[in-house]
Amino acid sequence: MRPALLDPLFASLSSLPGIGPKLGELFARLLGQESAEDCRVVDLIFHRPHGLIDRRKQPDIARAPEGVIVTITGRVDRHQPPPRGKGNAPYRVFLHDETGELALTFFRVKGNWLEKALPLDEQVVVSGKVEWFNGRPSMVHPDYMVKASEAGSLPLVEPVYGLTAGLSPRVLRKEVEAAVARIPALPEWIEPELLRRQGFSDARDAFLRLHEPRDETDLDPQAPARRRLAYDEFLAGQISLALVRQRLRRVAGRPVRATGALSRLVVDALPFALTASQQAAVADILADMAGEQRMLRLLQGDVGAGKTAVALMAMLAAVESGGQAVLMAPTEILARQHVATLSRMAAPAGVTIDVLTGRTKGREREAVLERIAAGETQIVIGTHALFQDNVAYRDLVLAVVDEQHRFGVHQRLRLTAKGITPHMLVMTATPIPRTLVLAAFGDMDVSKLTEKPAGRKPIHTVVMPQERTGEIVGRLRTALAAGKKAYWICPLVEESEESDLMSAEERHATLTSVFGAAAGLVHGRMSGPEKDAAMLAFKTGETRLLVATTVVEVGVDVPDATIMVIEHAERFGLAQLHQLRGRVGRGDEASSCILLYKGPLSENGRARLSILRETEDGFRIAEEDLKLRGEGELLGTRQSGTPGFLLASLEAHGDLLEIARKDAAYVIERDPELTSARGEALRTLLYLYRRDEAIRFLRAG
């Protein structure tokens, strides 16, 4: 049960004064909720200000600085409405003080409200930005105008919040104040010693300070109030991950005794030697699986670093000890590709491999399910169809999951709830900076593959403006005639009215006019069989140029493709561009990647594309991406199991995340059920940050 103390904060937003259905919809849009019913008072408390209006600068008119918000006192001299019939000309009101004259400029004025607000000969106080034209100061649409006799009502320092169309700053500010007034005195969930060392105030005080900044330093991510709230958010996340982990760990693992009988045959037959980091990862995995506790390990490896070979060694160990292993991929294309690769690699060991996806139907499906239940199938590869209710394993010992961020903590628990408690190895080609690993997957041990397999050549990357597309098509003509293969990536499937991005269908049409049937097309809206057919045609060389959306981002393997063109590269995330680039350079020929952008590029856009030109190190690219875009974007905030922080920022508060992780481990070790006084306070914290799912695991035991 949520503590009654928090009820005022979890009341519907409509319980605040003045929020009816119409305003409720605007707030829902602002706060990223489906509808007004989903919005709670607490959502406004987490909507932090990003700027400040400071009206304490009150110069004379002649000394008003350009482009800065100032507050000016003057007497109204005259009104100058636009000439009749010229509605688009401005309405001007002139005021003066001892030093000069200021023009207040208004556009599209309706009615006579200005005459009432600024009566002739009245002493008034106005606030806004001053612009100077030909030595004359002007203020366009002042944000505050009051008679001098009422100047006491003018807020001197005011926070600025993100808005949505139709919602005025004043209305939002009023509702935020009403929400903040509801924050109760909260129990202290941080240890006294840490409070003292970090100089933290209490949580309620930190929220008040967040919404009532006195100057720019209060808005800095390093301001004490913001650091306190960031720590709380990290602590809530780390405690909930620790509770999940405790629940998963409580289920004993079954020790796997690898004999090496099968893996030796496979390694001996491989055309390459395993790299040092592949060998280290295999050793870590086998050590984990041999223990009494279940393995939960994240295997991070850049594009082409050879994660598949490591996963195969782990799966062979499971088979050697008499059990079964599954490999789950996020898409049908990938699952089928894993089947092709692993069947080839595992052939010398003679293990039986089956595939099970949503497209395995009828008799074929029944036969596969029977083989799995009887234990005849030793390795099963598929999509999430592997874990549906009608799939019964004889003895599932290891589950390998490809691309973790599509398979979060909760899916892992669902598996456990079915009574299936295999060791888990999670693979990702999205290099995730250490801080993000802690935040999103704090419940996992990590192995990193840092070298590229032998023989891989560097990929030559160039950045070019869209205007040179014709030149690139010319070069492609030469390359394809010489027997090469190329990808051409577009951001959209079909052209839309409001977007000027090039769609895959449109680009395919223009390239078909040049290359005819040699140009293929694949995108996410096609059916499974259509995608497979398009990929197969490209693999076999029936088509030599594949126009695609980002469906090809993860894991598609065509070793003889050597050219990658990415259109509107400025619209993609760095990590995603790096993934796409990794689709070429997989054979022994030199490869190139052309990043086409539509100018003009922003400073940030230029910085991002130049990082790709400089390096192929996915971990460095991920760190830079984190600096440039923030963690919410890096994994796509909305994906399951990833954190989108409200008040914390990994770049600014990374040091606090490490402390929160240790603190959470300490708490769970001392008070696993959260029943002590501090434990009770921590439950309040989990509810406040909506991490209460973890509390349910306490009850579920």
Side-chain angles (χ1 to χ4, degrees):
M1 288 285 289
R2 187 173 57 231
L5 171 80
L6 294 178
D7 288 349
L9 297 182
F10 283 86
S12 165
L13 208 53
S14 59
S15 67
L16 292 175
I19 297 192
K22 199 170 163 201
L23 205 49
E25 288 311 312
L26 290 177
F27 273 103
R29 197 183 325 147
L30 174 73
L31 299 167
Q33 300 289 358
E34 292 289 305
S35 70
E37 286 81 75
D38 300 327
C39 293
R40 298 280 168 263
V41 173
V42 74
D43 296 325
L44 270 186
I45 288 165
F46 286 127
H47 185 61
R48 64 182 171 83
H50 59 74
L52 195 71
I53 295 174
D54 187 343
R55 298 194 181 85
R56 289 175 296 196
K57 284 193 187 72
Q58 304 194 358
D60 300 333
I61 289 174
R63 295 186 191 85
E66 170 99 24
V68 180
I69 288 185
V70 291
T71 304
I72 286 180
T73 304
R75 191 167 291 282
V76 180
D77 284 334
R78 63 189 193 281
H79 282 243
Q80 189 184 334
R84 273 190 182 285
K86 294 215 167 164
N88 55 354
Y91 186 124
R92 292 196 169 90
V93 180
F94 294 90
L95 13 143
H96 77 277
D97 65 7
E98 291 81 76
T99 67
E101 186 176 63
L102 173 70
L104 305 180
T105 307
F106 302 87
F107 292 95
R108 291 192 282 282
V109 174
K110 300 257 193 315
N112 63 346
W113 68 275
L114 275 174
E115 288 156 30
K116 289 182 180 161
L118 300 166
L120 283 175
D121 220 29
E122 180 81 51
Q123 188 84 352
V124 293
V125 177
V126 295
S127 173
K129 273 187 188 158
V130 172
E131 308 292 344
W132 287 79
F133 299 102
N134 303 329
R136 295 180 158 193
S138 160
M139 188 184 281
V140 178
H141 284 281
D143 58 8
Y144 257 94
M145 306 186 298
V146 290
K147 293 176 181 164
S149 56
E150 297 160 14
S153 69
L154 188 75
L156 289 178
V157 178
E158 204 176 7
V160 178
Y161 293 89
L163 288 167
T164 186
L167 187 59
S168 79
R170 245 174 249 186
V171 169
L172 175 60
R173 175 73 184 141
K174 191 180 107 211
E175 299 303 346
V176 169
E177 282 175 354
V180 170
R182 291 198 180 183
I183 302 175
L186 294 160
E188 187 50 78
W189 42 73
I190 298 182
E191 291 278 273
E193 175 50 30
L194 182 62
L195 279 175
R196 192 186 58 71
R197 215 170 47 239
Q198 291 288 340
F200 287 157
S201 62
D202 68 54
R204 180 171 184 271
D205 192 55
F207 277 115
L208 297 180
R209 185 37 42 89
L210 181 75
H211 291 285
E212 288 167 19
R214 290 162 307 188
D215 51 37
E216 289 293 338
T217 56
D218 282 347
L219 292 174
D220 189 298
Q222 298 305 339
R226 179 78 186 281
R227 276 179 68 83
R228 156 81 212 220
L229 297 171
Y231 184 77
D232 287 347
E233 186 165 18
F234 283 150
L235 185 61
Q238 292 300 305
I239 293 233
S240 72
L241 282 170
L243 288 171
V244 169
R245 176 164 216 178
Q246 169 185 284
R247 170 102 167 86
L248 289 176
R249 291 286 199 205
R250 207 174 285 171
V251 186
R254 174 180 133 192
V256 169
R257 308 272 178 249
T259 64
L262 301 173
S263 53
R264 203 169 300 116
L265 297 172
V266 172
V267 171
D268 289 347
L270 285 177
F272 52 84
L274 293 182
T275 64
S277 56
Q278 278 177 313
Q279 290 172 9
V282 171
D284 285 342
I285 290 165
L286 296 185
D288 279 1
M289 285 166 60
E292 294 297 323
Q293 287 199 318
R294 284 172 74 197
M295 169 174 78
L296 267 181
R297 184 170 281 278
L298 180 67
L299 176 63
Q300 280 190 282
D302 213 338
V303 180
K307 293 181 295 297
T308 316
V310 173
L312 177 59
M313 294 302 130
M315 293 193 285
L316 291 174
V319 175
E320 286 167 0
S321 76
Q324 292 167 297
V326 298
L327 169 61
M328 183 177 109
T331 65
E332 182 91 28
I333 290 186
L334 272 180
R336 305 235 165 231
Q337 191 172 290
H338 276 310
V339 174
T341 313
L342 289 169
S343 302
R344 194 174 60 241
M345 286 167 80
V351 288
T352 52
I353 298 182
D354 258 316
V355 60
L356 185 65
T357 69
R359 277 173 36 209
T360 318
K361 295 273 192 279
R363 289 228 175 110
E364 184 196 353
R365 184 180 182 86
E366 278 166 31
V368 171
L369 290 177
E370 274 173 28
R371 288 199 294 274
I372 292 173
E376 290 165 29
T377 300
Q378 294 164 303
I379 293 177
V380 197
I381 298 169
T383 53
H384 46 258
L386 291 170
F387 296 134
Q388 281 163 357
D389 291 342
N390 55 358
V391 186
Y393 294 90
R394 171 133 186 269
D395 186 10
L396 181 60
V397 173
L398 170 69
V400 181
V401 179
D402 197 8
E403 287 307 320
Q404 154 77 12
H405 53 270
R406 302 168 194 222
F407 187 79
V409 170
H410 302 294
Q411 287 92 320
R412 299 211 302 267
L413 279 160
R414 202 164 301 146
L415 238 183
T416 313
K418 284 182 65 175
I420 304 175
T421 55
H423 295 285
M424 294 214 99
L425 177 65
V426 172
M427 306 196 291
T428 176
T430 311
I432 310 170
R434 167 159 169 74
T435 42
L436 207 49
V437 170
L438 279 184
F441 320 121
D443 60 330
M444 290 193 156
D445 302 306
V446 182
S447 289
K448 267 188 188 180
L449 300 182
T450 48
E451 305 128 302
K452 284 249 167 98
R456 286 274 166 98
K457 290 204 168 63
I459 300 166
H460 178 59
T461 303
V462 291
V463 178
M464 291 170 102
Q466 199 88 28
E467 291 72 32
R468 293 175 64 184
T469 304
E471 193 183 313
I472 290 164
V473 172
R475 283 203 219 161
L476 275 179
R477 192 185 264 135
T478 315
L480 298 198
K484 297 198 183 323
K485 283 186 192 172
Y487 291 102
W488 189 300
I489 306 293
C490 303
L492 296 170
V493 176
E494 59 210 28
E495 198 181 1
S496 66
E497 289 295 311
E498 64 274 11
S499 174
D500 58 349
L501 300 181
M502 175 61 89
S503 78
E505 285 172 345
E506 199 185 342
R507 178 55 76 203
H508 180 243
T510 63
L511 290 172
T512 304
S513 66
V514 179
F515 298 106
L521 172 69
V522 65
H523 58 69
R525 295 226 189 118
M526 294 167 130
S527 70
E530 286 173 324
K531 279 189 227 166
D532 286 358
M535 287 307 303
L536 188 67
F538 184 53
K539 227 175 161 130
T540 57
E542 191 183 319
T543 56
R544 307 204 67 79
L545 172 63
L546 186 63
V547 180
T549 53
T550 54
V551 215
V552 300
E553 179 188 344
V554 205
V556 173
D557 195 15
V558 181
D560 56 344
T562 55
I563 301 166
M564 168 66 74
V565 180
I566 303 174
E567 213 164 333
H568 283 289
E570 77 282 1
R571 293 300 187 98
F572 292 96
L574 273 186
Q576 196 175 27
L577 288 171
H578 178 61
Q579 289 280 326
L580 287 165
R581 171 170 68 180
R583 298 300 112 225
V584 296
R586 300 173 83 83
D588 39 23
E589 263 192 83
S591 296
S592 54
C593 173
I594 299 142
L595 303 174
L596 280 177
Y597 66 87
K598 183 172 186 207
L601 275 182
S602 66
E603 230 6 77
N604 192 326
R606 183 163 281 117
R608 287 173 48 209
L609 294 181
S610 68
I611 288 162
L612 280 163
R613 214 175 38 214
E614 288 161 24
T615 181
E616 278 187 65
D617 175 350
F619 289 100
R620 186 181 151 213
I621 288 170
E623 295 285 358
E624 293 295 331
D625 211 6
L626 183 60
K627 279 192 206 125
L628 292 170
R629 298 202 303 160
E631 67 279 347
E633 290 288 304
L634 193 54
L635 296 172
T637 307
R638 292 285 154 254
Q639 289 165 332
S640 59
T642 63
F645 293 112
L646 300 162
L647 302 172
S649 144
L650 288 177
E651 308 96 297
H653 306 125
D655 62 317
L656 294 175
L657 179 58
E658 194 59 59
I659 301 169
R661 188 177 68 97
K662 290 182 178 147
D663 196 4
Y666 172 81
V667 167
I668 298 303
E669 196 180 311
R670 296 293 171 98
D671 181 15
E673 298 294 325
L674 299 185
T675 48
S676 66
R678 185 180 181 206
E680 288 295 340
L682 285 164
R683 286 174 183 241
T684 305
L685 169 73
L686 291 172
Y687 277 106
L688 180 64
Y689 281 89
R690 294 205 167 102
R691 297 294 193 135
D692 39 306
E693 286 203 354
I695 293 176
R696 278 183 232 135
F697 301 141
L698 281 176
R699 294 202 203 99

